[in-house]
């Protein structure tokens, strides 16, 4: 059974850095896109960064120049620098995974809390 497990969230002061990790496991044949999303209280979930083999990386305008997404096989990372209070949210990992049966589908992690204090 496919699982995505995030880690690395926490409390940091504005201007600080955090590195999120997400490990995918369980019957995986291949992974196309991997991405990070976030959801702040009272707001909709939004896409933060994506990494694919064909198109490379893409970022939300709000995090360009501060966040970096990278990938190592079934692991995806989000390096977050120059953090701002508005970056406070639950961060979720997403992956488009093919298990060898049918079509690829999206899987989500359980989320990790990032809190940036001013």
């Amino acid at each position: 059974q496919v699982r995505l497990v995030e880690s690395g969230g926490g409390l940091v002061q504005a201007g600080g850095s955090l590195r999120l990790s997400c490990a995918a496991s369980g019957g995986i044949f291949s992974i196309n896109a991997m991405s990070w999303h976030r959801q702040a209280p009272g707001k909709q979930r939004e896409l933060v960064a994506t990494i694919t083999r064909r198109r490379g990386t893409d970022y939300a305008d709000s995090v360009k120049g501060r966040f970096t997404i990278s990938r190592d096989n079934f692991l995806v990372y989000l390096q977050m620098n120059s953090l701002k209070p508005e970056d406070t949210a639950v961060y979720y990992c997403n992956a488009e995974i093919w298990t060898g049966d049918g079509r690829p589908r999206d899987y989500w992690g359980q989320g990790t809390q990032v809190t940036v204090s001013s």
Side-chain angles (χ1 to χ4, degrees):
Q1 184 174 355
V2 175
R3 291 185 66 208
L4 270 63
V5 179
E6 300 106 333
S7 61
L11 173 64
V12 65
Q13 286 189 331
S17 298
L18 282 174
R19 188 188 194 215
L20 305 182
S21 301
C22 173
S25 62
I28 298 172
F29 265 59
S30 64
I31 300 179
N32 182 18
M34 300 189 82
S35 57
W36 287 95
H37 302 245
R38 67 185 180 187
Q39 187 166 18
K43 295 188 177 181
Q44 288 189 328
R45 190 173 297 189
E46 63 173 349
L47 176 62
V48 175
T50 303
I51 185 166
T52 66
R53 296 189 190 281
R54 282 192 297 172
R55 296 190 300 273
T57 59
D58 195 19
Y59 299 91
D61 287 343
S62 59
V63 306
K64 280 181 181 176
R66 301 188 297 121
F67 290 11
T68 302
I69 188 170
S70 60
R71 177 179 167 182
D72 180 7
N73 201 13
F74 293 172
L75 291 162
V76 65
Y77 304 97
L78 187 68
Q79 177 66 44
M80 305 185 294
N81 298 329
S82 302
L83 282 161
K84 305 175 181 180
E86 51 263 44
D87 295 318
T88 295
V90 178
Y91 284 70
Y92 297 90
C93 173
N94 173 275
E96 184 183 3
I97 293 173
W98 185 50
T99 58
D101 181 17
R103 301 179 66 178
R105 53 165 288 193
D106 279 340
Y107 291 85
W108 291 90
Q110 81 286 354
T112 185
Q113 177 70 45
V114 171
T115 303
V116 184
S117 63
S118 56

